[in-house]
Coordinates of all heavy atoms in Angstrom, one line a residue:
Q161 N -13.9 7.7 11.5 CA -14.2 6.9 10.3 C -13.1 7.3 9.3 O -12.8 8.3 9.0 CB -15.5 7.5 9.6 CG -16.8 6.9 10.4 CD -16.9 5.5 10.2 OE1 -16.8 4.9 9.3 NE2 -16.9 4.9 11.5
P162 N -12.4 6.1 8.8 CA -11.3 6.4 7.8 C -11.7 7.2 6.7 O -12.7 6.9 6.0 CB -11.0 4.9 7.6 CG -11.4 4.0 8.7 CD -12.7 4.8 9.0
V163 N -10.7 8.0 6.2 CA -10.9 8.7 5.0 C -9.8 8.5 3.9 O -9.9 8.8 2.7 CB -11.1 10.2 5.3 CG1 -12.4 10.4 6.0 CG2 -9.8 10.9 6.0
S164 N -8.6 8.0 4.3 CA -7.5 8.0 3.5 C -6.5 6.9 4.0 O -6.4 6.9 5.3 CB -6.9 9.2 3.0 OG -5.9 9.1 1.9
I165 N -5.7 6.3 3.2 CA -4.6 5.4 3.6 C -3.3 5.7 3.0 O -3.3 6.1 1.8 CB -4.9 3.9 3.4 CG1 -6.2 3.6 4.0 CG2 -3.8 3.0 3.6 CD1 -7.6 3.8 3.3
V166 N -2.2 5.7 3.7 CA -0.8 5.9 3.1 C 0.0 4.6 3.4 O 0.0 4.2 4.4 CB -0.2 7.1 3.9 CG1 1.1 7.4 3.3 CG2 -0.9 8.4 3.9
L167 N 0.7 4.2 2.3 CA 1.4 3.0 2.3 C 2.9 3.3 2.1 O 3.2 4.0 1.3 CB 0.8 2.1 1.1 CG 1.6 0.8 0.9 CD1 1.5 -0.2 2.2 CD2 1.0 0.0 -0.4
H168 N 3.7 2.7 3.0 CA 5.1 3.0 2.9 C 5.8 1.6 2.5 O 5.7 0.6 3.3 CB 5.7 3.5 4.2 CG 5.2 4.7 4.5 ND1 5.5 5.9 4.1 CD2 4.3 4.9 5.7 CE1 4.8 6.9 4.7 NE2 4.0 6.5 5.6
N169 N 6.4 1.6 1.4 CA 6.9 0.4 0.8 C 8.5 0.3 0.8 O 9.1 1.2 0.0 CB 6.4 0.0 -0.6 CG 6.9 -1.1 -1.4 OD1 7.4 -1.9 -0.7 ND2 6.9 -1.0 -2.6
F170 N 9.0 -0.5 1.5 CA 10.5 -0.8 1.5 C 11.0 -2.1 1.0 O 12.1 -2.5 1.1 CB 11.1 -0.5 2.9 CG 10.9 0.8 3.6 CD1 9.7 0.9 4.2 CD2 11.7 1.9 3.4 CE1 9.5 2.2 4.8 CE2 11.6 3.1 3.8 CZ 10.4 3.2 4.6
C171 N 9.9 -2.7 0.3 CA 10.2 -4.2 -0.4 C 10.6 -4.1 -1.8 O 11.2 -5.1 -2.3 CB 8.9 -5.0 -0.2 SG 8.3 -4.9 1.6
G172 N 10.4 -3.0 -2.4 CA 10.6 -2.8 -3.9 C 9.5 -2.6 -4.8 O 8.4 -2.8 -4.4
D173 N 9.8 -1.9 -6.0 CA 8.7 -1.5 -6.8 C 8.0 -2.6 -7.3 O 6.6 -2.3 -7.5 CB 9.4 -0.9 -8.2 CG 9.6 0.6 -7.9 OD1 8.7 1.4 -7.2 OD2 10.5 1.3 -8.4
E174 N 8.5 -3.8 -7.5 CA 7.8 -4.9 -8.1 C 6.7 -5.4 -7.2 O 5.8 -6.2 -7.6 CB 8.7 -6.1 -8.6 CG 9.4 -6.6 -7.3 CD 10.8 -6.2 -7.0 OE1 10.8 -4.8 -7.1 OE2 11.8 -6.7 -6.6
Y175 N 6.6 -5.1 -5.8 CA 5.7 -5.6 -4.9 C 4.7 -4.5 -4.6 O 3.8 -4.8 -3.8 CB 6.4 -6.1 -3.8 CG 7.4 -7.1 -3.9 CD1 8.8 -6.8 -3.7 CD2 7.1 -8.3 -4.4 CE1 9.8 -7.8 -3.9 CE2 8.0 -9.3 -4.7 CZ 9.3 -9.1 -4.4 OH 10.2 -10.1 -4.6
W176 N 4.7 -3.3 -5.1 CA 3.8 -2.4 -4.8 C 2.2 -2.8 -5.0 O 1.5 -2.5 -4.2 CB 4.0 -1.0 -5.6 CG 2.8 0.0 -5.4 CD1 1.8 0.2 -6.2 CD2 2.8 0.9 -4.3 NE1 1.1 1.3 -5.7 CE2 1.7 1.7 -4.5 CE3 3.6 1.0 -3.3 CZ2 1.4 2.6 -3.6 CZ3 3.2 2.1 -2.3 CH2 2.1 2.9 -2.6
D177 N 1.9 -3.3 -6.4 CA 0.6 -3.8 -6.5 C 0.2 -4.9 -5.6 O -1.1 -4.9 -5.0 CB 0.4 -4.2 -7.9 CG 0.6 -3.2 -8.9 OD1 0.5 -2.0 -8.6 OD2 0.8 -3.4 -10.1
E178 N 0.9 -5.7 -5.1 CA 0.5 -6.8 -4.1 C 0.4 -6.2 -2.8 O -0.6 -6.6 -2.1 CB 1.7 -7.9 -4.2 CG 1.2 -9.1 -3.3 CD 2.1 -10.3 -3.4 OE1 3.2 -10.2 -4.1 OE2 1.8 -11.3 -2.6
L179 N 1.1 -5.2 -2.4 CA 0.8 -4.6 -1.2 C -0.4 -3.8 -1.1 O -1.1 -3.8 -0.1 CB 2.0 -3.7 -0.8 CG 3.4 -4.2 -0.5 CD1 4.5 -3.3 -0.5 CD2 3.3 -5.0 0.8
V180 N -0.7 -3.1 -2.2 CA -2.0 -2.4 -2.4 C -3.1 -3.3 -2.4 O -4.2 -3.0 -1.7 CB -2.1 -1.6 -3.7 CG1 -3.4 -1.1 -3.9 CG2 -1.0 -0.4 -3.6
S181 N -3.1 -4.5 -2.8 CA -4.1 -5.5 -2.8 C -4.5 -5.9 -1.4 O -5.6 -6.2 -1.1 CB -3.7 -6.7 -3.8 OG -2.7 -7.6 -3.1
G182 N -3.5 -6.0 -0.6 CA -3.8 -6.3 0.8 C -4.5 -5.4 1.5 O -5.4 -5.5 2.3
V183 N -4.2 -4.1 1.4 CA -4.9 -2.9 1.8 C -6.3 -3.0 1.3 O -7.4 -2.8 2.0 CB -4.2 -1.6 1.6 CG1 -5.0 -0.5 2.1 CG2 -2.9 -1.5 2.3
K184 N -6.5 -3.2 0.0 CA -7.8 -3.2 -0.6 C -8.7 -4.4 0.0 O -9.9 -4.2 0.0 CB -7.8 -3.4 -2.1 CG -7.3 -2.0 -2.7 CD -7.3 -2.2 -4.3 CE -7.0 -0.9 -5.0 NZ -6.9 -0.9 -6.5
K185 N -8.1 -5.5 0.3 CA -8.8 -6.5 0.9 C -9.4 -6.1 2.2 O -10.6 -6.4 2.5 CB -7.8 -7.8 1.2 CG -8.6 -8.9 1.9 CD -7.5 -10.0 2.3 CE -8.2 -11.1 3.1 NZ -7.1 -12.1 3.5
G186 N -8.7 -5.4 3.1 CA -9.1 -4.9 4.3 C -10.3 -3.8 4.1 O -11.3 -3.8 4.8
L187 N -10.1 -3.0 3.1 CA -11.1 -1.9 2.8 C -12.5 -2.6 2.3 O -13.5 -2.2 2.8 CB -10.7 -1.0 1.7 CG -9.5 -0.1 2.1 CD1 -9.0 0.7 0.9 CD2 -10.0 0.9 3.2
A188 N -12.2 -3.7 1.7 CA -13.5 -4.4 1.1 C -14.2 -5.0 2.4 O -15.5 -5.0 2.4 CB -13.1 -5.5 0.2
E189 N -13.6 -5.5 3.4 CA -14.2 -6.1 4.5 C -14.9 -4.9 5.4 O -15.9 -5.3 6.0 CB -13.2 -6.7 5.3 CG -12.5 -7.9 4.7 CD -11.5 -8.7 5.6 OE1 -11.3 -8.1 6.7 OE2 -10.9 -9.6 5.0
L190 N -14.5 -3.7 5.2 CA -15.2 -2.6 5.8 C -16.1 -1.9 4.9 O -16.7 -0.8 5.4 CB -14.0 -1.6 6.3 CG -13.0 -2.2 7.3 CD1 -12.0 -1.2 7.6 CD2 -13.7 -2.6 8.8
N191 N -16.3 -2.2 3.7 CA -17.2 -1.7 2.8 C -16.7 -0.2 2.6 O -17.4 0.8 2.5 CB -18.6 -1.6 3.3 CG -19.2 -2.9 3.1 OD1 -19.0 -3.7 2.4 ND2 -20.0 -3.3 4.3
L192 N -15.4 0.0 2.5 CA -14.7 1.2 2.3 C -13.8 1.2 0.9 O -12.8 1.8 1.0 CB -13.9 1.6 3.5 CG -14.5 2.0 4.7 CD1 -13.6 2.0 5.9 CD2 -15.6 3.0 4.6
T193 N -14.3 0.5 -0.1 CA -13.6 0.5 -1.2 C -13.3 1.8 -2.0 O -12.5 1.9 -2.9 CB -14.2 -0.7 -2.2 OG1 -15.5 -0.2 -2.4 CG2 -14.1 -1.9 -1.6
H194 N -14.2 2.8 -1.6 CA -14.0 4.1 -2.2 C -12.8 5.1 -1.8 O -12.5 5.9 -2.3 CB -15.2 4.9 -2.1 CG -15.5 5.2 -0.6 ND1 -16.0 4.3 0.3 CD2 -15.5 6.3 0.1 CE1 -16.1 4.8 1.5 NE2 -15.8 6.0 1.4
L195 N -12.2 4.5 -0.7 CA -11.1 5.2 0.0 C -9.9 5.3 -1.0 O -9.4 4.2 -1.6 CB -10.8 4.9 1.3 CG -11.8 5.0 2.4 CD1 -11.3 4.7 3.7 CD2 -12.4 6.3 2.3
S196 N -9.2 6.4 -1.0 CA -7.9 6.5 -1.7 C -6.7 6.0 -1.1 O -6.8 6.0 0.2 CB -7.5 7.9 -2.0 OG -7.5 8.8 -0.9
I197 N -5.8 5.4 -1.7 CA -4.5 4.8 -1.2 C -3.4 5.6 -1.9 O -3.3 5.5 -3.1 CB -4.4 3.3 -1.5 CG1 -5.6 2.6 -0.8 CG2 -3.0 2.9 -0.8 CD1 -5.7 1.0 -1.3
T198 N -2.5 6.2 -1.1 CA -1.3 6.8 -1.6 C -0.2 6.2 -0.9 O -0.3 5.3 -0.1 CB -1.4 8.4 -1.5 OG1 -0.3 8.9 -2.2 CG2 -1.4 8.8 -0.1
G199 N 1.0 6.8 -1.4 CA 2.2 6.2 -0.6 C 3.4 6.4 -1.5 O 3.6 7.2 -2.4
S200 N 4.6 5.7 -0.9 CA 5.9 5.8 -1.6 C 6.6 4.4 -1.5 O 6.4 3.7 -0.5 CB 6.7 6.9 -0.8 OG 8.0 7.1 -1.5
T201 N 7.5 4.3 -2.5 CA 8.4 3.1 -2.4 C 9.8 3.5 -2.5 O 10.2 4.5 -3.1 CB 8.2 2.3 -3.7 OG1 6.9 1.8 -3.8 CG2 9.2 1.1 -3.9
E202 N 10.6 2.9 -1.6 CA 12.1 3.1 -1.6 C 12.8 2.3 -2.8 O 12.7 1.1 -2.8 CB 12.8 2.6 -0.3 CG 14.2 2.4 -0.3 CD 14.8 3.8 -0.5 OE1 15.0 4.6 0.3 OE2 15.4 3.9 -1.7
S203 N 13.0 2.9 -3.8 CA 13.4 2.4 -5.0 C 15.0 2.7 -5.3 O 15.4 2.1 -6.3 CB 12.6 2.9 -6.2 OG 12.6 4.2 -6.2
N204 N 15.6 3.5 -4.5 CA 17.1 3.7 -4.7 C 18.0 2.6 -4.2 O 19.1 2.4 -4.7 CB 17.4 5.1 -4.1 CG 16.6 6.3 -4.7 OD1 16.8 6.5 -5.9 ND2 16.0 7.1 -3.9
F205 N 17.5 2.0 -3.2 CA 18.3 0.9 -2.5 C 17.5 -0.4 -2.2 O 16.2 -0.2 -2.0 CB 18.9 1.4 -1.1 CG 19.7 2.8 -1.3 CD1 19.1 4.0 -1.0 CD2 20.9 2.7 -1.7 CE1 19.9 5.2 -1.1 CE2 21.7 3.8 -1.9 CZ 21.1 5.2 -1.5
T206 N 18.1 -1.4 -2.3 CA 17.5 -2.7 -2.1 C 17.7 -3.3 -0.7 O 18.9 -3.3 -0.4 CB 18.0 -3.8 -3.2 OG1 17.6 -3.3 -4.4 CG2 17.3 -5.0 -2.9
M207 N 16.8 -3.6 0.0 CA 16.9 -4.1 1.4 C 17.0 -5.7 1.4 O 16.0 -6.3 0.5 CB 15.9 -3.6 2.3 CG 15.7 -2.0 2.5 SD 14.5 -1.4 3.5 CE 14.8 -2.0 5.0
K208 N 17.5 -6.2 2.3 CA 17.6 -7.7 2.4 C 16.4 -8.3 3.1 O 16.2 -9.5 3.1 CB 19.0 -8.1 3.1 CG 20.2 -7.8 2.4 CD 21.5 -8.3 3.0 CE 22.6 -8.1 2.2 NZ 23.9 -8.6 2.9

């Protein structure tokens, strides 16, 4: 049974909330909206 989610973002700070929204969509389908989401963003360098 899932207890936590870790998100790794290499797309940029400005996209963090949108990425989180996709995870939350999946959690809602599983009735697990109470689970925590943590993670990190690569903000020092921009990828193509």
Side-chain angles (χ1 to χ4, degrees):
Q161 284 301 306
V163 295
S164 190
I165 297 91
V166 183
L167 175 62
H168 302 285
N169 170 27
F170 298 90
C171 305
D173 267 329
E174 65 271 34
Y175 299 117
W176 175 261
D177 289 343
E178 189 176 355
L179 290 167
V180 168
S181 71
V183 176
K184 286 184 174 180
K185 175 185 175 184
L187 288 172
E189 292 177 4
L190 298 172
N191 293 317
L192 294 174
T193 53
H194 62 284
L195 294 192
S196 61
I197 303 171
T198 187
S200 179
T201 296
E202 170 56 77
S203 55
N204 292 308
F205 303 100
T206 301
M207 298 176 64
K208 292 184 177 181

